[in-house]
Amino acid sequence: MRLIITEKDNAARRIAEILSEGSASASRQNGVNVYRWGNTRVVGLSGHVVGVDFPEEYNDWRDVEPVELIDADVTKEPTQENIVTTLKQLAREADEATIATDYDREGELIGKEAYELIREETDAPVDRVRFSSITEREVRDAFANPDDIDFDLAAAGEARQIIDLVWGAALTRFLSLSARQLGDDFISVGRVQSPTLKLIVDREREIQAFDPEDYWEIFADLQKNGSGFEAQYFYDDDGKEAERVWVEDDADDAYADLTGVDAATVTSVRRRTRTDSPPTPFNTTAFISAASSLGYSAQQAMSIAEELYTTGYITYPRTDNTVYPDDLEEDALLDEFVGAGHFGEDAEKLLEQDDITATEGDEETTDHPPIHPTGEIPPKVDLSDDEWEIYELVVRRFFATVAEAATWEHLRVVADAGGRSLKANGKRLVEPGYHEVYPYSSASENHVPDVEEGEELAISEVRMEAKQTQPPRRYGQSRLIQTMEDKGLGTKSTRHNSIEKLYDRGYIEGDPPRPTTLAMAVVEAAEEFADHVVSDEMTARLEADMTAIANGEESLDTVADESREMLKRVFDELRDSREEIGEHLQESLKADKTLGPCPKCGEDMLVRRSRQGSYFVGCDGFPECRNTLPLPSTGEPQVLEDHCEEHDMHHVKMLAGRDTFVHGCPRCEAEKADESEDEVIGPCPECGVAPEEQRGDGDEAEGGELAIKHLRSGSRLVGCTRYPDCDYSLPLPRNGDISVTEAFCEEHDLPELVIDADSDDPWELGCPICNYEEYQARTAVEDLEDLSGIGSATAEKLGDAGVDSLAALREADPDIVATEVQGVSATQVREWQDELEA
DNA sequence: GCAAGGTC
């Protein structure tokens, strides 16, 4: 039997299709897809299926000195048991095996890991094929010319694994132990995350140190044929043109001169034609950046792209390449879009061009083609609005790369008024070119009318504006990813995750991300004692070492040992400063949790966590002062910069994914609840007076009533007046005025409610019981979507079939028990759905 | 429980 191993299931399926000419069939083994035809089997891994770690005896952070990790063994253990088992079972039957993982360094290492698992079972020959895109031609070529695994290249990847683990784990444990942060809130550092964090921290330092300067700008409106245009005052600053006037008296003088005359005389008119080249093909970074200008975070953009890739509508979204492969036929791909409603006309127009040649970027790699549509076009109804918007972006980017350049006409007019110079720059799009098919990049014009030298233009108004220089801007997520790429930090697959990790670790907040006090302290500590780990030089050095290993000039052991020696020297420095570092980190952690002074004793009020795990606001003077305030029960609290004037307290935001909301000032919220009275609306269905026939034998009518209640934590609910004896309750929305209407629900004996009755668009919530029942039915379907990553249409169908939870899914198919929730692909869910329907 | 890198 011949065994072929790919990096992912999708690649396995497509390679099987190509090599078998469509005759391959799929079956499942230990929950893993295996494609087969004749004597051949193809199995897809899930990236790395083994991972590096320390032996078990190093697991306890308290028992092991962090420095001991430096010389600890590094072992490789399976992390994807099902796939490893399947691979080994298949290997036992194999006479030959072919590694067909991705064509890059990490792919070589993943291939070598598969090779070693195969070697545990058989001595059958193992070869390696390399291809940059899964097209018929490339795949057939590759399989016709097999090569060997490049063990040196794989060793380069292993050096990275070992160095990252040893540095990351040893320093992470050291900082966490020194600050006594051992739970979920440990303090992490790493080769990629820490230099990335330093970028953000350095920018914040510049902002904090920034000293704004005053300057003035002067504008004049000039008239031509009854319509006006704006011109700006400028002067010659040592041969350079300057618009900013730094001295107020100078600005006043210029303003006085300009207002002293009624007209300006045109002294020069210059026209220039500029070519505006179409953009280059999308790699991951360029894609994230384009999606970000549509309002998507890096993480959102990538997960939508991954979904579009798995469903077959776009190519692999993780790529460094910006040059389309030779066998991408641009006109054939355009042809697919002809007649496809939304895109048809644009595709036809592009096909009419004399020459269809795509642009090329600077980066040409072997990993994957640039991101482009596959030519399989989804019906719009099958995608969510977001998915469609991203899909359209990818399609239009492809269109743009084969479209013609745009041309602009630039018009520059200089005029003299009272001895002062004015200028106006106009911009007109003469040939729209690619802008016609790619509306995302700016094509805005600035109208300046045709004028001639010597012409007199009336001045209708002169304005002087006092301004201040602005501090540098914070990095936005896509700018940060771009900078990481420039500095070689992370990879196309990991950069967006690294940023997400900084959020999770409590190092950055908000968008654009701001560093927390803790982040500043971590970077400071690292700069002082382990400068290497916050500098991008560590990555540069590692890259150089990896290249040397890949070229056979250095050995993995030498490189790893040198790195270990370097880390030992770092620990020599750290040893004596443990206390000092710990204290600094602890103070910073406290600063991030501080809301303001306690009204009872003046100490700080802090966000704290109870033993049960819920958050509340408590006084730092505990146990002497026992003052507390409640916080909402959902989400992780985050202290905002916003501030309540009345109570001198920072506002709090509760982070809970899509349910994130701003709680505001905890004292205001508590006081609001104290001042409001419960509003009774009807009988409690659990313990109120109900008609005799609706009551079960054991039920007792205690006379409980339902009331609208405001809790001190800021939440509102409809609850029983006999609480806590009866804990019946229904949730109400957090925001908006609640009013009770005349309309009445006969079934539940309750009035209908309206939220925000005063606004133009009130929400008619209706009977609170009916509303809650509808809400539960709706969220069951949403939960299912979240669990399985399936589309809403499928989830609804499953809901209709009575499957409303993962547990129900498992009941329907015991095989699912072995599958990780996150590992459930859309294809699998569709299979289960088919089974259920049959 | 630590990293970064694959993958879902």
Side-chain angles (χ1 to χ4, degrees):
Chain A
M1 182 263 272
R2 182 191 194 186
L3 177 61
I4 299 171
I5 298 111
T6 67
E7 188 153 325
K8 41 191 169 278
D9 175 57
N10 239 301
R13 200 192 67 241
R14 291 181 54 204
I15 282 168
E17 258 169 34
I18 292 171
L19 295 181
S20 73
E21 290 171 351
S23 70
S25 65
S27 64
R28 285 169 73 78
Q29 194 166 325
N30 309 307
V32 179
N33 289 332
V34 178
Y35 304 89
R36 58 181 73 208
W37 74 98
N39 206 22
T40 307
R41 307 282 177 272
V42 189
V43 66
L45 308 176
S46 182
H48 291 285
V49 292
V50 293
V52 287
D53 207 348
F54 299 109
E56 213 174 299
E57 58 265 33
Y58 291 90
N59 279 357
D60 194 320
W61 292 31
R62 265 167 293 232
D63 279 358
V64 180
E65 278 297 321
V67 70
E68 291 177 48
L69 293 176
I70 301 177
D71 284 321
D73 282 343
V74 174
T75 61
K76 270 198 182 184
E77 297 298 331
T79 50
Q80 305 269 2
E81 299 279 1
N82 286 353
I83 297 175
V84 170
T85 308
T86 309
L87 177 59
K88 288 177 149 196
Q89 286 170 351
L90 290 167
R92 254 171 258 155
E93 301 164 42
D95 313 308
E96 53 175 329
T98 298
I99 305 292
T101 47
D102 291 356
Y103 187 6
D104 54 20
R105 184 174 60 218
E106 216 62 36
E108 207 66 24
L109 176 52
I110 291 164
K112 189 214 161 191
E113 288 161 357
Y115 164 85
E116 286 182 336
L117 292 166
I118 294 169
R119 274 288 167 269
E120 289 179 27
E121 305 296 329
T122 172
D123 289 328
V126 178
D127 57 14
R128 162 80 159 129
V129 292
R130 297 187 177 84
F131 43 85
S132 306
S133 55
I134 309 182
T135 57
E136 178 124 13
R137 202 179 79 191
E138 281 225 36
V139 169
R140 287 196 182 285
D141 271 4
F143 276 84
N145 301 291
D147 198 357
D148 293 321
I149 296 176
D150 184 344
F151 287 97
D152 285 339
L153 183 57
E158 287 183 294
R160 179 200 57 70
Q161 287 186 317
I162 293 167
I163 292 169
D164 282 343
L165 174 67
V166 172
W167 279 74
L171 288 171
T172 294
R173 285 198 194 178
F174 179 87
L175 290 187
S176 304
L177 283 162
S178 72
R180 288 184 246 287
Q181 289 286 305
L182 290 190
D184 298 335
D185 301 322
F186 59 86
I187 296 171
S188 70
V189 283
R191 176 180 56 85
V192 172
Q193 59 165 292
S194 300
T196 304
L197 186 58
K198 183 171 152 65
L199 286 173
I200 300 172
V201 166
D202 278 345
R203 181 58 56 88
E204 199 67 18
R205 288 167 171 165
E206 284 177 48
I207 294 170
Q208 282 169 1
F210 186 79
D211 190 10
E213 248 183 285
D214 292 322
Y215 68 89
W216 290 263
E217 286 182 330
I218 304 167
F219 301 90
D221 287 342
L222 304 181
Q223 296 296 318
K224 162 84 180 180
N225 298 338
S227 78
F229 65 100
E230 188 180 74
Q232 184 172 14
Y233 165 67
F234 75 102
Y235 61 96
D236 183 68
D237 182 22
D238 255 352
K240 271 187 253 161
E241 215 173 84
E243 300 87 30
R244 294 178 172 187
V245 184
W246 300 100
V247 179
E248 189 167 13
D249 286 346
D250 293 351
D252 286 339
D253 290 348
Y255 180 75
D257 289 348
L258 285 165
T259 44
V261 291
D262 321 324
T265 312
V266 176
T267 55
S268 98
V269 177
R270 200 175 66 201
R271 274 197 181 76
R272 258 198 262 180
T273 307
R274 285 261 161 85
T275 306
D276 166 13
S277 304
T280 55
F282 264 156
N283 63 6
T284 302
T285 305
F287 162 71
I288 287 175
S289 159
S292 119
S293 57
L294 297 177
Y296 294 88
S297 72
Q299 191 69 246
Q300 287 170 328
M302 284 310 287
S303 29
I304 294 171
E306 276 152 21
E307 178 67 21
L308 292 170
Y309 157 71
T310 0
T311 37
Y313 300 129
I314 68 171
T315 57
Y316 193 63
R318 297 190 271 262
T319 175
D320 285 324
N321 204 347
T322 53
V323 180
Y324 292 131
D326 287 343
D327 56 2
L328 177 73
E329 287 168 26
E330 287 88 349
D331 43 1
L333 183 50
L334 282 174
D335 236 8
E336 299 284 344
F337 288 93
V338 172
H342 205 71
F343 302 113
E345 273 180 39
D346 286 337
E348 273 176 56
K349 224 181 266 175
L350 290 168
L351 282 165
E352 281 166 19
Q353 296 176 145
D354 297 337
D355 176 34
I356 299 174
T357 312
T359 55
E360 295 187 354
D362 294 334
E363 196 82 14
E364 189 169 7
T365 60
T366 55
D367 57 353
H368 294 281
I371 308 169
H372 65 78
T374 55
E376 187 180 332
I377 305 165
K380 198 170 175 190
V381 288
D382 277 10
L383 301 188
S384 69
D385 290 351
D386 287 352
E387 284 168 347
W388 181 262
E389 196 175 14
I390 292 294
Y391 176 69
E392 178 163 6
L393 172 67
V394 173
V395 172
R396 293 196 170 282
R397 180 64 163 222
F398 166 69
F399 284 2
T401 60
V402 296
E404 278 162 3
T407 39
W408 293 84
E409 187 184 75
H410 289 246
L411 173 63
R412 178 187 156 93
V413 173
V414 177
D416 178 275
R420 301 283 179 171
S421 298
L422 293 168
K423 65 170 175 185
N425 289 308
K427 220 176 132 186
R428 199 164 61 86
L429 190 56
V430 191
E431 283 295 337
Y434 76 90
H435 289 289
E436 276 192 321
V437 294
Y438 195 71
Y440 311 101
S441 64
S442 163
S444 62
E445 303 188 327
N446 180 29
H447 178 72
V448 169
D450 271 332
V451 294
E452 282 170 28
E453 277 181 30
E455 199 173 332
E456 289 244 317
L457 302 170
I459 299 176
S460 57
E461 195 195 322
V462 181
R463 290 180 300 281
M464 178 156 78
E465 293 175 11
K467 294 185 173 173
Q468 280 195 321
T469 52
Q470 295 296 309
R473 281 156 53 129
R474 294 196 174 93
Y475 286 103
Q477 287 190 22
S478 71
R479 187 85 189 77
L480 194 57
I481 285 175
Q482 180 67 58
T483 310
M484 289 173 75
E485 185 180 84
D486 296 344
K487 294 184 178 294
L489 297 171
T491 72
K492 67 219 177 205
S493 316
T494 57
R495 287 184 197 112
H496 59 283
N497 293 336
S498 300
I499 294 175
E500 216 50 36
K501 185 182 272 179
L502 295 179
Y503 280 107
D504 291 346
R505 295 278 190 268
Y507 289 151
I508 56 176
E509 290 169 351
D511 190 20
R514 268 185 304 110
T516 58
T517 319
L518 172 66
M520 307 289 261
V522 169
V523 170
E524 280 161 27
E527 281 170 338
E528 196 173 344
F529 300 101
D531 194 34
H532 216 54
V533 82
V534 277
S535 111
D536 46 51
E537 283 159 35
M538 178 149 177
T539 292
R541 163 91 191 261
L542 182 62
E543 284 292 341
D545 285 341
M546 284 196 288
T547 305
I549 296 173
N551 293 338
E553 295 154 11
E554 282 272 20
S555 78
L556 161 59
D557 288 341
T558 321
V559 167
D561 286 345
E562 273 176 21
S563 182
R564 286 184 164 107
E565 288 309 314
M566 202 149 116
L567 183 57
K568 278 179 197 164
R569 290 196 289 276
V570 168
F571 267 85
D572 286 342
E573 297 278 316
L574 279 172
R575 190 167 300 124
D576 297 334
S577 311
R578 195 165 174 154
E579 293 282 304
E580 187 196 327
I581 294 171
E583 270 170 37
H584 187 190
L585 291 172
Q586 280 179 318
E587 275 167 30
S588 308
L589 277 162
K590 199 172 134 183
D592 286 329
K593 292 180 194 151
T594 301
L595 291 183
C598 170
K600 294 199 175 149
C601 74
E603 293 272 343
D604 285 332
M605 295 293 281
L606 304 174
V607 172
R608 321 193 78 139
R609 205 165 183 178
S610 74
R611 226 169 255 164
Q612 290 75 37
S614 56
Y615 293 98
F616 67 99
V617 179
C619 182
D620 200 26
F622 182 85
E624 285 77 33
C625 175
R626 294 180 170 265
N627 190 21
T628 63
L629 290 163
L631 285 173
S633 52
T634 43
E636 295 247 343
Q638 179 192 325
V639 179
L640 299 179
E641 268 190 315
D642 298 344
H643 201 255
C644 167
E645 296 287 336
E646 191 187 345
H647 300 114
D648 194 13
M649 280 216 145
H650 284 282
H651 287 186
V652 176
K653 186 177 187 173
M654 301 303 291
L655 301 177
R658 62 174 80 155
D659 297 326
T660 293
F661 61 95
V662 174
H663 173 59
C665 166
R667 272 183 74 185
C668 289
E669 289 302 315
E671 282 177 13
K672 239 191 283 173
D674 292 340
E675 286 159 12
S676 76
E677 276 180 30
D678 293 354
E679 184 176 359
V680 173
I681 55 172
C684 172
E686 290 274 312
C687 68
V689 184
E692 197 88 27
E693 61 272 18
Q694 284 180 22
R695 238 182 286 151
D697 283 345
D699 291 353
E700 282 184 54
E702 301 279 358
E705 289 177 304
L706 287 186
I708 298 172
K709 300 183 177 194
H710 296 250
L711 307 188
R712 301 188 88 234
S713 65
S715 50
R716 305 179 299 186
L717 50 80
V718 170
C720 184
T721 48
R722 288 181 56 251
Y723 181 85
D725 291 330
C726 170
D727 61 3
Y728 183 86
S729 81
L730 304 160
L732 287 174
R734 186 162 292 278
N735 291 313
D737 291 334
I738 304 167
S739 52
V740 179
T741 69
E742 300 287 319
F744 206 75
C745 171
E746 298 294 339
E747 187 189 349
H748 299 111
D749 208 7
L750 289 172
E752 296 189 1
L753 306 182
V754 175
I755 311 297
D756 254 343
D758 296 339
S759 81
D760 291 343
D761 187 20
W763 171 21
E764 291 182 20
L765 185 135
C767 159
I769 296 182
C770 294
N771 171 268
Y772 187 54
E773 285 170 355
E774 284 163 25
Y775 167 80
Q776 280 180 311
R778 199 169 53 244
T779 50
V781 171
E782 280 169 12
D783 286 349
L784 196 60
E785 279 180 59
D786 283 351
L787 283 173
S788 326
I790 57 179
S792 54
T794 313
E796 257 168 55
K797 277 185 207 159
L798 283 167
D800 291 345
V803 179
D804 60 357
S805 67
L806 184 72
L809 270 177
R810 283 180 169 154
E811 214 166 285
D813 180 354
D815 196 32
I816 299 165
V817 178
T819 312
E820 282 295 311
V821 177
Q822 286 83 356
V824 180
S825 72
T827 332
Q828 282 163 32
V829 171
R830 268 179 219 123
E831 277 170 24
W832 301 332
Q833 188 193 354
D834 291 342
E835 280 171 31
L836 283 167
E837 279 169 4

